[in-house]
Amino acid sequence: MLSIGDLSKRTGVKVPTIRYYEQMGLLAAAERSEGNQRRYARQDLERLAFIRHARDLGLDISAIRELIALSQHPHQPCGNVDRIAADHLKSVRDKIEKLKKLEEELERIVTRCDGDHSIEDCYVIRSLSDHGLCDSEH
Amino acid sequence: MLSIGDLSKRTGVKVPTIRYYEQMGLLAAAERSEGNQRRYARQDLERLAFIRHARDLGLDISAIRELIALSQHPHQPCGNVDRIAADHLKSVRDKIEKLKKLEEELERIVTRCDGDHSIEDCYVIRSLSDHGLCDSEH
DNA sequence: CTAGATATCTCCAGAGACTATAGGTTTGGA
DNA sequence: TCCAAACCTATAGTCTCTGGAGATATCTAG
């Protein structure tokens, strides 16, 4: 049996975060030692690794909760699982698109500023003040 | 003079958000009507548009606070302004990089799932469970 | 001028996903 | 056996808003 600290070291998830996941219902309430400390078995380690991996991929807590619930019915068809992942892929793509537009605009703003003139004339400040200087909508 | 609702309509910033910006020190405390309601002048409109624009670009409140402070000394050189914008550009680029890696991995996971088999065998679930199935580090 | 509708005021709580602190208890090794 | 490290619970804070409650102000129609 692993202590919460052991589990933390093995998964890279911080101790308070593990307790938080338990509170949020992603991890089952752990067994306890005689002195009331949490003790974990291998399944808990796997479950936490699953959660960690899903979080790293940017899935939010409620999506993960749903995936866990689905994974406990292994003989059902996996359409919902696929949908969750595909939806998330779409939202990641949307975010990338938005950030690329930001990148372009920031680039445009920054490259017109040599950092060596007065704030009064600074393109960065002027761009922020005047939306009309933007190329694209946002 | 504009009411807070007028200002909201003109800038697209919600009323409670305007009050929040005032509380955070981005907007000066507004003048008040006899009945204690906020009244805004044209400068406030411009300032709020500046804030909105900077937020749309992803700059955080403290960066905006700093930019506003700098913009009030128009005769100083603009090196710091440039630095804030350039730092932000870098962080946007970093975010894009990370998201692209996620995109790749999610794509890989999703395309191997046809949504038409059992959860037991689902590649999405298996990928999340087993980090070893990933192509790249993350 | 007054009634009623709309807008505003302040204060407080909640969102999401943690993170940190305080004050106390248990555990593991020398 | 003793002590430091790890653990426990409970609570509050992070960041950027957003929404609600209950009270007050302003505007419009009659």
Side-chain angles (χ1 to χ4, degrees):
Chain A
M1 302 296 278
L2 302 168
S3 72
I4 197 168
D6 297 333
L7 196 63
S8 170
K9 267 169 221 141
R10 294 234 209 159
T11 57
V13 177
K14 290 185 184 159
V15 168
T17 306
I18 295 174
R19 290 196 277 249
Y20 170 75
Y21 288 158
E22 179 182 314
Q23 211 186 320
M24 294 296 101
L26 297 189
L27 286 172
E31 283 181 50
R32 298 293 179 127
S33 71
E34 284 189 15
N36 196 36
Q37 296 192 357
R38 289 170 180 82
R39 291 293 176 262
Y40 295 95
R42 175 194 259 281
Q43 295 121 284
D44 299 305
L45 186 69
E46 284 165 9
R47 165 73 66 90
L48 185 54
F50 178 103
I51 295 167
R52 167 95 214 257
H53 195 174
R55 285 293 300 133
D56 283 350
L57 291 175
L59 288 153
D60 63 22
I61 300 281
S62 68
I64 296 173
R65 210 190 328 257
E66 207 175 333
L67 285 174
I68 288 172
L70 289 169
S71 73
Q72 312 207 317
H73 300 281
H75 299 299
Q76 288 187 9
C78 78
N80 281 331
V81 169
D82 186 44
R83 182 186 47 74
I84 292 171
D87 283 358
H88 185 58
L89 175 56
K90 183 173 178 317
S91 89
V92 166
R93 284 181 173 149
D94 289 350
K95 254 185 221 154
I96 290 174
E97 275 319 293
K98 277 194 190 155
L99 285 173
K100 276 188 179 164
K101 282 193 187 141
L102 285 191
E103 183 190 14
E104 273 170 39
E105 184 169 346
L106 281 166
E107 194 166 34
R108 210 170 39 76
I109 291 172
V110 167
T111 56
R112 290 196 200 173
C113 173
D114 56 9
D116 198 28
H117 47 266
S118 77
I119 283 173
E120 196 167 28
D121 301 325
C122 181
Y123 198 81
V124 175
I125 294 282
R126 282 196 294 135
S127 298
L128 288 168
S129 305
D130 183 358
H131 211 105
L133 295 173
C134 299
D135 278 344
S136 59
E137 294 303 310
H138 61 115
Chain B
M1 302 294 278
L2 303 168
S3 72
I4 197 168
D6 297 332
L7 195 63
S8 170
K9 265 168 223 142
R10 295 233 208 160
T11 57
V13 177
K14 291 187 181 157
V15 168
T17 306
I18 295 173
R19 290 197 276 250
Y20 170 75
Y21 288 158
E22 179 183 314
Q23 210 186 322
M24 293 298 101
L26 298 189
L27 286 172
E31 283 181 50
R32 299 292 179 127
S33 71
E34 283 191 15
N36 197 36
Q37 299 191 353
R38 288 171 180 80
R39 291 293 176 261
Y40 296 94
R42 174 193 260 282
Q43 295 120 284
D44 299 305
L45 187 68
E46 284 164 11
R47 165 74 65 90
L48 184 55
F50 178 104
I51 294 167
R52 166 96 214 256
H53 195 176
R55 286 291 301 134
D56 283 348
L57 291 175
L59 288 153
D60 62 20
I61 301 280
S62 68
I64 297 173
R65 209 190 330 256
E66 207 175 334
L67 285 174
I68 289 172
L70 289 168
S71 73
Q72 312 207 315
H73 300 282
H75 299 299
Q76 287 187 7
C78 78
N80 280 332
V81 169
D82 186 46
R83 180 186 48 73
I84 292 172
D87 283 357
H88 185 59
L89 176 55
K90 184 174 177 317
S91 89
V92 167
R93 284 182 173 148
D94 289 350
K95 254 184 220 154
I96 290 173
E97 274 319 292
K98 278 193 188 154
L99 284 172
K100 277 189 179 164
K101 282 190 186 145
L102 285 191
E103 183 190 15
E104 274 170 40
E105 185 169 346
L106 280 167
E107 195 165 35
R108 209 170 40 76
I109 291 172
V110 168
T111 57
R112 290 194 200 176
C113 172
D114 56 10
D116 200 28
H117 47 266
S118 77
I119 283 172
E120 196 167 28
D121 301 325
C122 181
Y123 198 82
V124 175
I125 294 283
R126 283 197 292 135
S127 299
L128 288 169
S129 304
D130 184 359
H131 211 105
L133 295 172
C134 300
D135 280 343
S136 60
E137 294 303 311
H138 61 115

